[in-house]
mmCIF file of all heavy atoms in Angstrom:
data_model
loop_
_atom_site.group_PDB
_atom_site.id
_atom_site.type_symbol
_atom_site.label_atom_id
_atom_site.label_comp_id
_atom_site.label_asym_id
_atom_site.label_seq_id
_atom_site.Cartn_x
_atom_site.Cartn_y
_atom_site.Cartn_z
ATOM 1 N N MET A 1 -63.485 -44.892 68.223
ATOM 2 C CA MET A 1 -63.475 -46.352 68.371
ATOM 3 C C MET A 1 -62.282 -46.803 69.210
ATOM 4 O O MET A 1 -62.362 -47.812 69.914
ATOM 5 C CB MET A 1 -63.472 -47.037 67.003
ATOM 6 C CG MET A 1 -64.747 -46.801 66.214
ATOM 7 S SD MET A 1 -66.215 -47.455 67.069
ATOM 8 C CE MET A 1 -67.278 -46.036 67.059
ATOM 9 N N VAL A 2 -61.189 -46.067 69.145
ATOM 10 C CA VAL A 2 -60.065 -46.337 70.048
ATOM 11 C C VAL A 2 -60.560 -46.152 71.486
ATOM 12 O O VAL A 2 -60.278 -46.973 72.369
ATOM 13 C CB VAL A 2 -58.856 -45.413 69.754
ATOM 14 C CG1 VAL A 2 -57.741 -45.645 70.772
ATOM 15 C CG2 VAL A 2 -58.338 -45.612 68.336
ATOM 16 N N ALA A 3 -61.324 -45.094 71.700
ATOM 17 C CA ALA A 3 -61.874 -44.823 73.034
ATOM 18 C C ALA A 3 -62.821 -45.933 73.480
ATOM 19 O O ALA A 3 -62.788 -46.359 74.640
ATOM 20 C CB ALA A 3 -62.594 -43.472 73.045
ATOM 21 N N ILE A 4 -63.664 -46.427 72.576
ATOM 22 C CA ILE A 4 -64.567 -47.527 72.926
ATOM 23 C C ILE A 4 -63.753 -48.760 73.314
ATOM 24 O O ILE A 4 -64.080 -49.442 74.285
ATOM 25 C CB ILE A 4 -65.559 -47.835 71.778
ATOM 26 C CG1 ILE A 4 -66.670 -46.786 71.764
ATOM 27 C CG2 ILE A 4 -66.161 -49.239 71.930
ATOM 28 C CD1 ILE A 4 -67.731 -46.994 70.715
ATOM 29 N N GLY A 5 -62.707 -49.047 72.571
ATOM 30 C CA GLY A 5 -61.862 -50.186 72.898
ATOM 31 C C GLY A 5 -61.265 -50.076 74.288
ATOM 32 O O GLY A 5 -61.249 -51.048 75.058
ATOM 33 N N THR A 6 -60.790 -48.889 74.631
ATOM 34 C CA THR A 6 -60.223 -48.681 75.962
ATOM 35 C C THR A 6 -61.299 -48.855 77.027
ATOM 36 O O THR A 6 -61.056 -49.449 78.079
ATOM 37 C CB THR A 6 -59.563 -47.299 76.059
ATOM 38 O OG1 THR A 6 -58.586 -47.177 75.015
ATOM 39 C CG2 THR A 6 -58.874 -47.113 77.394
ATOM 40 N N LEU A 7 -62.491 -48.361 76.759
ATOM 41 C CA LEU A 7 -63.595 -48.540 77.693
ATOM 42 C C LEU A 7 -63.905 -50.029 77.878
ATOM 43 O O LEU A 7 -64.069 -50.503 78.998
ATOM 44 C CB LEU A 7 -64.836 -47.794 77.206
ATOM 45 C CG LEU A 7 -66.081 -47.952 78.067
ATOM 46 C CD1 LEU A 7 -65.874 -47.309 79.431
ATOM 47 C CD2 LEU A 7 -67.280 -47.351 77.382
ATOM 48 N N LEU A 8 -63.969 -50.774 76.782
ATOM 49 C CA LEU A 8 -64.262 -52.209 76.863
ATOM 50 C C LEU A 8 -63.193 -52.958 77.662
ATOM 51 O O LEU A 8 -63.504 -53.909 78.380
ATOM 52 C CB LEU A 8 -64.376 -52.814 75.464
ATOM 53 C CG LEU A 8 -65.555 -52.352 74.602
ATOM 54 C CD1 LEU A 8 -65.457 -52.939 73.202
ATOM 55 C CD2 LEU A 8 -66.876 -52.703 75.249
ATOM 56 N N ALA A 9 -61.946 -52.534 77.554
ATOM 57 C CA ALA A 9 -60.854 -53.185 78.289
ATOM 58 C C ALA A 9 -60.910 -52.901 79.782
ATOM 59 O O ALA A 9 -60.374 -53.663 80.581
ATOM 60 C CB ALA A 9 -59.509 -52.726 77.733
ATOM 61 N N ASN A 10 -61.574 -51.809 80.157
ATOM 62 C CA ASN A 10 -61.575 -51.375 81.556
ATOM 63 C C ASN A 10 -62.924 -51.479 82.242
ATOM 64 O O ASN A 10 -63.051 -51.132 83.411
ATOM 65 C CB ASN A 10 -61.064 -49.934 81.635
ATOM 66 C CG ASN A 10 -59.585 -49.854 81.376
ATOM 67 O OD1 ASN A 10 -58.783 -50.128 82.250
ATOM 68 N ND2 ASN A 10 -59.206 -49.522 80.140
ATOM 69 N N ASN A 11 -63.951 -51.920 81.520
ATOM 70 C CA ASN A 11 -65.289 -52.019 82.088
ATOM 71 C C ASN A 11 -66.058 -53.059 81.285
ATOM 72 O O ASN A 11 -65.962 -53.080 80.060
ATOM 73 C CB ASN A 11 -65.990 -50.657 82.035
ATOM 74 C CG ASN A 11 -67.306 -50.663 82.737
ATOM 75 O OD1 ASN A 11 -68.245 -51.318 82.298
ATOM 76 N ND2 ASN A 11 -67.397 -49.932 83.826
ATOM 77 N N GLU A 12 -66.832 -53.878 81.951
ATOM 78 C CA GLU A 12 -67.529 -54.970 81.273
ATOM 79 C C GLU A 12 -69.016 -54.693 81.056
ATOM 80 O O GLU A 12 -69.823 -55.622 81.026
ATOM 81 C CB GLU A 12 -67.330 -56.251 82.070
ATOM 82 C CG GLU A 12 -65.882 -56.648 82.171
ATOM 83 C CD GLU A 12 -65.661 -57.883 83.018
ATOM 84 O OE1 GLU A 12 -66.635 -58.418 83.585
ATOM 85 O OE2 GLU A 12 -64.503 -58.298 83.119
ATOM 86 N N MET A 13 -69.395 -53.426 80.873
ATOM 87 C CA MET A 13 -70.818 -53.122 80.739
ATOM 88 C C MET A 13 -71.430 -53.643 79.448
ATOM 89 O O MET A 13 -72.590 -54.011 79.419
ATOM 90 C CB MET A 13 -71.056 -51.632 80.866
ATOM 91 C CG MET A 13 -70.733 -50.864 79.611
ATOM 92 S SD MET A 13 -70.772 -49.135 79.864
ATOM 93 C CE MET A 13 -69.319 -48.981 80.842
ATOM 94 N N VAL A 14 -70.658 -53.665 78.368
ATOM 95 C CA VAL A 14 -71.111 -54.274 77.116
ATOM 96 C C VAL A 14 -69.955 -55.093 76.558
ATOM 97 O O VAL A 14 -68.804 -54.896 76.924
ATOM 98 C CB VAL A 14 -71.581 -53.225 76.069
ATOM 99 C CG1 VAL A 14 -72.831 -52.503 76.522
ATOM 100 C CG2 VAL A 14 -70.498 -52.244 75.717
ATOM 101 N N LYS A 15 -70.291 -56.000 75.659
ATOM 102 C CA LYS A 15 -69.296 -56.914 75.111
ATOM 103 C C LYS A 15 -68.762 -56.417 73.766
ATOM 104 O O LYS A 15 -69.476 -55.781 72.996
ATOM 105 C CB LYS A 15 -69.916 -58.299 74.937
ATOM 106 C CG LYS A 15 -70.350 -58.946 76.231
ATOM 107 C CD LYS A 15 -71.042 -60.277 75.944
ATOM 108 C CE LYS A 15 -71.534 -60.932 77.198
ATOM 109 N NZ LYS A 15 -72.713 -60.299 77.763
ATOM 110 N N PHE A 16 -67.516 -56.773 73.495
ATOM 111 C CA PHE A 16 -66.864 -56.449 72.228
ATOM 112 C C PHE A 16 -67.705 -56.939 71.049
ATOM 113 O O PHE A 16 -67.945 -56.201 70.095
ATOM 114 C CB PHE A 16 -65.458 -57.070 72.186
ATOM 115 C CG PHE A 16 -64.815 -57.046 70.829
ATOM 116 C CD1 PHE A 16 -64.198 -55.896 70.365
ATOM 117 C CD2 PHE A 16 -64.823 -58.172 70.013
ATOM 118 C CE1 PHE A 16 -63.606 -55.863 69.113
ATOM 119 C CE2 PHE A 16 -64.237 -58.145 68.763
ATOM 120 C CZ PHE A 16 -63.623 -56.990 68.311
ATOM 121 N N ASP A 17 -68.158 -58.194 71.108
ATOM 122 C CA ASP A 17 -68.920 -58.767 69.995
ATOM 123 C C ASP A 17 -70.203 -57.995 69.729
ATOM 124 O O ASP A 17 -70.604 -57.835 68.573
ATOM 125 C CB ASP A 17 -69.248 -60.241 70.270
ATOM 126 C CG ASP A 17 -68.008 -61.131 70.197
ATOM 127 O OD1 ASP A 17 -67.013 -60.732 69.556
ATOM 128 O OD2 ASP A 17 -68.038 -62.231 70.783
ATOM 129 N N THR A 18 -70.836 -57.499 70.775
ATOM 130 C CA THR A 18 -72.071 -56.737 70.601
ATOM 131 C C THR A 18 -71.788 -55.412 69.907
ATOM 132 O O THR A 18 -72.520 -55.002 69.002
ATOM 133 C CB THR A 18 -72.759 -56.489 71.956
ATOM 134 O OG1 THR A 18 -72.884 -57.726 72.655
ATOM 135 C CG2 THR A 18 -74.139 -55.891 71.758
ATOM 136 N N VAL A 19 -70.716 -54.738 70.308
ATOM 137 C CA VAL A 19 -70.336 -53.477 69.652
ATOM 138 C C VAL A 19 -70.020 -53.742 68.187
ATOM 139 O O VAL A 19 -70.459 -53.001 67.293
ATOM 140 C CB VAL A 19 -69.147 -52.805 70.372
ATOM 141 C CG1 VAL A 19 -68.641 -51.599 69.594
ATOM 142 C CG2 VAL A 19 -69.538 -52.391 71.789
ATOM 143 N N MET A 20 -69.290 -54.821 67.909
ATOM 144 C CA MET A 20 -68.953 -55.139 66.518
ATOM 145 C C MET A 20 -70.204 -55.467 65.701
ATOM 146 O O MET A 20 -70.294 -55.086 64.531
ATOM 147 C CB MET A 20 -67.948 -56.299 66.459
ATOM 148 C CG MET A 20 -66.541 -55.909 66.880
ATOM 149 S SD MET A 20 -65.863 -54.457 66.018
ATOM 150 C CE MET A 20 -65.989 -54.936 64.306
ATOM 151 N N ASP A 21 -71.168 -56.157 66.306
ATOM 152 C CA ASP A 21 -72.427 -56.443 65.606
ATOM 153 C C ASP A 21 -73.140 -55.150 65.225
ATOM 154 O O ASP A 21 -73.676 -55.028 64.119
ATOM 155 C CB ASP A 21 -73.355 -57.297 66.476
ATOM 156 C CG ASP A 21 -72.886 -58.744 66.612
ATOM 157 O OD1 ASP A 21 -71.982 -59.167 65.864
ATOM 158 O OD2 ASP A 21 -73.430 -59.444 67.498
ATOM 159 N N GLU A 22 -73.156 -54.187 66.141
ATOM 160 C CA GLU A 22 -73.812 -52.900 65.861
ATOM 161 C C GLU A 22 -73.065 -52.123 64.780
ATOM 162 O O GLU A 22 -73.671 -51.493 63.919
ATOM 163 C CB GLU A 22 -73.940 -52.065 67.144
ATOM 164 C CG GLU A 22 -74.977 -52.600 68.104
ATOM 165 C CD GLU A 22 -76.353 -52.745 67.478
ATOM 166 O OE1 GLU A 22 -76.794 -51.844 66.734
ATOM 167 O OE2 GLU A 22 -77.000 -53.780 67.718
ATOM 168 N N LEU A 23 -71.738 -52.160 64.829
ATOM 169 C CA LEU A 23 -70.944 -51.510 63.777
ATOM 170 C C LEU A 23 -71.217 -52.155 62.425
ATOM 171 O O LEU A 23 -71.387 -51.458 61.422
ATOM 172 C CB LEU A 23 -69.454 -51.586 64.099
ATOM 173 C CG LEU A 23 -68.912 -50.530 65.034
ATOM 174 C CD1 LEU A 23 -67.514 -50.896 65.513
ATOM 175 C CD2 LEU A 23 -68.885 -49.174 64.358
ATOM 176 N N ALA A 24 -71.255 -53.477 62.391
ATOM 177 C CA ALA A 24 -71.516 -54.183 61.135
ATOM 178 C C ALA A 24 -72.904 -53.839 60.593
ATOM 179 O O ALA A 24 -73.070 -53.640 59.395
ATOM 180 C CB ALA A 24 -71.378 -55.693 61.342
ATOM 181 N N ALA A 25 -73.882 -53.754 61.486
ATOM 182 C CA ALA A 25 -75.236 -53.411 61.055
ATOM 183 C C ALA A 25 -75.297 -51.986 60.496
ATOM 184 O O ALA A 25 -76.026 -51.714 59.546
ATOM 185 C CB ALA A 25 -76.213 -53.557 62.220
ATOM 186 N N THR A 26 -74.512 -51.091 61.081
ATOM 187 C CA THR A 26 -74.518 -49.692 60.648
ATOM 188 C C THR A 26 -73.665 -49.465 59.407
ATOM 189 O O THR A 26 -74.071 -48.777 58.479
ATOM 190 C CB THR A 26 -74.020 -48.776 61.786
ATOM 191 O OG1 THR A 26 -74.870 -48.957 62.915
ATOM 192 C CG2 THR A 26 -74.028 -47.317 61.381
ATOM 193 N N LEU A 27 -72.461 -50.045 59.385
ATOM 194 C CA LEU A 27 -71.515 -49.784 58.307
ATOM 195 C C LEU A 27 -71.519 -50.857 57.216
ATOM 196 O O LEU A 27 -71.038 -50.604 56.113
ATOM 197 C CB LEU A 27 -70.096 -49.679 58.867
ATOM 198 C CG LEU A 27 -69.826 -48.565 59.862
ATOM 199 C CD1 LEU A 27 -68.432 -48.705 60.442
ATOM 200 C CD2 LEU A 27 -70.001 -47.210 59.203
ATOM 201 N N GLY A 28 -72.011 -52.026 57.545
ATOM 202 C CA GLY A 28 -71.906 -53.181 56.662
ATOM 203 C C GLY A 28 -72.279 -52.944 55.220
ATOM 204 O O GLY A 28 -71.533 -53.288 54.312
ATOM 205 N N LYS A 29 -73.425 -52.341 54.978
ATOM 206 C CA LYS A 29 -73.880 -52.138 53.604
ATOM 207 C C LYS A 29 -73.383 -50.823 53.015
ATOM 208 O O LYS A 29 -73.045 -50.749 51.847
ATOM 209 C CB LYS A 29 -75.409 -52.183 53.554
ATOM 210 C CG LYS A 29 -75.960 -53.560 53.849
ATOM 211 C CD LYS A 29 -77.466 -53.578 53.797
ATOM 212 C CE LYS A 29 -77.952 -54.970 54.150
ATOM 213 N NZ LYS A 29 -79.393 -55.045 54.273
ATOM 214 N N LYS A 30 -73.362 -49.772 53.849
ATOM 215 C CA LYS A 30 -72.997 -48.448 53.342
ATOM 216 C C LYS A 30 -71.486 -48.270 53.194
ATOM 217 O O LYS A 30 -71.017 -47.715 52.217
ATOM 218 C CB LYS A 30 -73.534 -47.355 54.265
ATOM 219 C CG LYS A 30 -75.042 -47.210 54.253
ATOM 220 C CD LYS A 30 -75.467 -45.997 55.036
ATOM 221 C CE LYS A 30 -75.868 -46.452 56.420
ATOM 222 N NZ LYS A 30 -76.330 -45.380 57.281
ATOM 223 N N ARG A 31 -70.735 -48.677 54.209
ATOM 224 C CA ARG A 31 -69.287 -48.439 54.230
ATOM 225 C C ARG A 31 -68.523 -49.642 54.797
ATOM 226 O O ARG A 31 -67.898 -49.541 55.848
ATOM 227 C CB ARG A 31 -68.980 -47.200 55.068
ATOM 228 C CG ARG A 31 -69.516 -45.890 54.555
ATOM 229 C CD ARG A 31 -68.902 -45.428 53.231
ATOM 230 N NE ARG A 31 -67.470 -45.439 53.157
ATOM 231 C CZ ARG A 31 -66.674 -44.394 53.382
ATOM 232 N NH1 ARG A 31 -67.175 -43.256 53.726
ATOM 233 N NH2 ARG A 31 -65.368 -44.517 53.263
ATOM 234 N N PRO A 32 -68.551 -50.788 54.112
ATOM 235 C CA PRO A 32 -67.846 -51.959 54.650
ATOM 236 C C PRO A 32 -66.347 -51.720 54.817
ATOM 237 O O PRO A 32 -65.714 -52.339 55.660
ATOM 238 C CB PRO A 32 -68.148 -53.059 53.628
ATOM 239 C CG PRO A 32 -68.577 -52.364 52.396
ATOM 240 C CD PRO A 32 -69.176 -51.052 52.827
ATOM 241 N N ASP A 33 -65.788 -50.803 54.022
ATOM 242 C CA ASP A 33 -64.363 -50.485 54.134
ATOM 243 C C ASP A 33 -64.022 -49.897 55.504
ATOM 244 O O ASP A 33 -62.918 -50.096 56.020
ATOM 245 C CB ASP A 33 -63.936 -49.520 53.030
ATOM 246 C CG ASP A 33 -64.777 -48.250 52.994
ATOM 247 O OD1 ASP A 33 -66.025 -48.356 53.042
ATOM 248 O OD2 ASP A 33 -64.202 -47.157 52.911
ATOM 249 N N LEU A 34 -64.986 -49.198 56.104
ATOM 250 C CA LEU A 34 -64.737 -48.599 57.418
ATOM 251 C C LEU A 34 -64.870 -49.600 58.561
ATOM 252 O O LEU A 34 -64.353 -49.369 59.646
ATOM 253 C CB LEU A 34 -65.696 -47.427 57.658
ATOM 254 C CG LEU A 34 -65.483 -46.190 56.796
ATOM 255 C CD1 LEU A 34 -66.512 -45.130 57.137
ATOM 256 C CD2 LEU A 34 -64.076 -45.655 56.965
ATOM 257 N N LEU A 35 -65.553 -50.699 58.316
ATOM 258 C CA LEU A 35 -65.749 -51.701 59.363
ATOM 259 C C LEU A 35 -64.410 -52.258 59.836
ATOM 260 O O LEU A 35 -64.160 -52.363 61.039
ATOM 261 C CB LEU A 35 -66.662 -52.818 58.867
ATOM 262 C CG LEU A 35 -67.093 -53.842 59.897
ATOM 263 C CD1 LEU A 35 -67.803 -53.180 61.072
ATOM 264 C CD2 LEU A 35 -67.988 -54.888 59.256
ATOM 265 N N GLU A 36 -63.526 -52.591 58.914
ATOM 266 C CA GLU A 36 -62.216 -53.126 59.280
ATOM 267 C C GLU A 36 -61.386 -52.096 60.045
ATOM 268 O O GLU A 36 -60.741 -52.431 61.044
ATOM 269 C CB GLU A 36 -61.464 -53.577 58.021
ATOM 270 C CG GLU A 36 -60.130 -54.224 58.325
ATOM 271 C CD GLU A 36 -59.392 -54.674 57.075
ATOM 272 O OE1 GLU A 36 -60.027 -54.883 56.020
ATOM 273 O OE2 GLU A 36 -58.162 -54.813 57.161
ATOM 274 N N LEU A 37 -61.417 -50.834 59.608
ATOM 275 C CA LEU A 37 -60.679 -49.775 60.322
ATOM 276 C C LEU A 37 -61.199 -49.603 61.740
ATOM 277 O O LEU A 37 -60.423 -49.459 62.689
ATOM 278 C CB LEU A 37 -60.794 -48.442 59.576
ATOM 279 C CG LEU A 37 -60.026 -48.287 58.273
ATOM 280 C CD1 LEU A 37 -60.344 -46.938 57.642
ATOM 281 C CD2 LEU A 37 -58.540 -48.445 58.488
ATOM 282 N N ASN A 38 -62.520 -49.630 61.899
ATOM 283 C CA ASN A 38 -63.115 -49.483 63.221
ATOM 284 C C ASN A 38 -62.755 -50.647 64.133
ATOM 285 O O ASN A 38 -62.461 -50.460 65.310
ATOM 286 C CB ASN A 38 -64.638 -49.328 63.111
ATOM 287 C CG ASN A 38 -65.034 -47.921 62.729
ATOM 288 O OD1 ASN A 38 -65.049 -47.033 63.559
ATOM 289 N ND2 ASN A 38 -65.338 -47.715 61.461
ATOM 290 N N GLU A 39 -62.752 -51.850 63.587
ATOM 291 C CA GLU A 39 -62.389 -53.018 64.391
ATOM 292 C C GLU A 39 -60.932 -52.921 64.842
ATOM 293 O O GLU A 39 -60.609 -53.205 65.997
ATOM 294 C CB GLU A 39 -62.622 -54.304 63.614
ATOM 295 C CG GLU A 39 -62.311 -55.541 64.445
ATOM 296 C CD GLU A 39 -62.658 -56.849 63.747
ATOM 297 O OE1 GLU A 39 -63.103 -56.830 62.584
ATOM 298 O OE2 GLU A 39 -62.468 -57.890 64.389
ATOM 299 N N LYS A 40 -60.051 -52.512 63.937
ATOM 300 C CA LYS A 40 -58.638 -52.332 64.303
ATOM 301 C C LYS A 40 -58.502 -51.300 65.419
ATOM 302 O O LYS A 40 -57.723 -51.471 66.358
ATOM 303 C CB LYS A 40 -57.814 -51.870 63.092
ATOM 304 C CG LYS A 40 -57.479 -52.942 62.118
ATOM 305 C CD LYS A 40 -56.625 -52.368 60.984
ATOM 306 C CE LYS A 40 -56.366 -53.391 59.912
ATOM 307 N NZ LYS A 40 -55.612 -52.823 58.780
ATOM 308 N N ALA A 41 -59.257 -50.211 65.295
ATOM 309 C CA ALA A 41 -59.188 -49.141 66.295
ATOM 310 C C ALA A 41 -59.660 -49.637 67.659
ATOM 311 O O ALA A 41 -59.034 -49.348 68.687
ATOM 312 C CB ALA A 41 -60.019 -47.945 65.843
ATOM 313 N N ILE A 42 -60.754 -50.373 67.680
ATOM 314 C CA ILE A 42 -61.267 -50.899 68.957
ATOM 315 C C ILE A 42 -60.245 -51.845 69.578
ATOM 316 O O ILE A 42 -59.937 -51.741 70.774
ATOM 317 C CB ILE A 42 -62.631 -51.607 68.742
ATOM 318 C CG1 ILE A 42 -63.707 -50.574 68.396
ATOM 319 C CG2 ILE A 42 -63.028 -52.387 70.001
ATOM 320 C CD1 ILE A 42 -65.031 -51.170 67.952
ATOM 321 N N LYS A 43 -59.712 -52.743 68.786
ATOM 322 C CA LYS A 43 -58.727 -53.700 69.311
ATOM 323 C C LYS A 43 -57.473 -52.996 69.816
ATOM 324 O O LYS A 43 -56.911 -53.389 70.841
ATOM 325 C CB LYS A 43 -58.395 -54.738 68.253
ATOM 326 C CG LYS A 43 -59.520 -55.746 68.038
ATOM 327 C CD LYS A 43 -59.166 -56.786 67.020
ATOM 328 C CE LYS A 43 -60.271 -57.827 66.902
ATOM 329 N NZ LYS A 43 -59.996 -58.813 65.835
ATOM 330 N N LYS A 44 -57.051 -51.961 69.122
ATOM 331 C CA LYS A 44 -55.866 -51.208 69.584
ATOM 332 C C LYS A 44 -56.178 -50.502 70.915
ATOM 333 O O LYS A 44 -55.361 -50.491 71.820
ATOM 334 C CB LYS A 44 -55.435 -50.204 68.513
ATOM 335 C CG LYS A 44 -54.104 -49.574 68.762
ATOM 336 C CD LYS A 44 -52.990 -50.604 68.654
ATOM 337 C CE LYS A 44 -51.660 -49.912 68.850
ATOM 338 N NZ LYS A 44 -50.550 -50.863 68.972
ATOM 339 N N GLY A 45 -57.367 -49.924 71.024
ATOM 340 C CA GLY A 45 -57.778 -49.269 72.252
ATOM 341 C C GLY A 45 -57.857 -50.241 73.423
ATOM 342 O O GLY A 45 -57.605 -49.880 74.579
#
């Protein structure tokens, strides 16, 4: 996710909000605790 963040900062092929929506859809019910960590990682990247 750090790598995805760096990609998002250097290329506009997809939007941050769209990636976060997909993460929420995937992790939201099963592992909501990981959603916050992933968001932090993307933002740091």
Side-chain angles (χ1 to χ4, degrees):
M1 294 299 128
V2 176
I4 283 182
T6 304
L7 177 66
L8 293 175
N10 288 280
N11 186 293
E12 298 177 357
M13 79 189 71
V14 294
K15 297 176 182 74
F16 168 81
D17 290 338
T18 309
V19 173
M20 287 308 304
D21 288 348
E22 288 304 317
L23 277 167
T26 301
L27 298 173
K29 292 180 182 173
K30 291 188 262 181
R31 296 294 310 264
D33 55 312
L34 291 179
L35 187 57
E36 184 180 338
L37 288 176
N38 281 281
E39 182 174 3
K40 283 182 185 177
I42 291 171
K43 287 182 176 176
K44 191 67 177 171

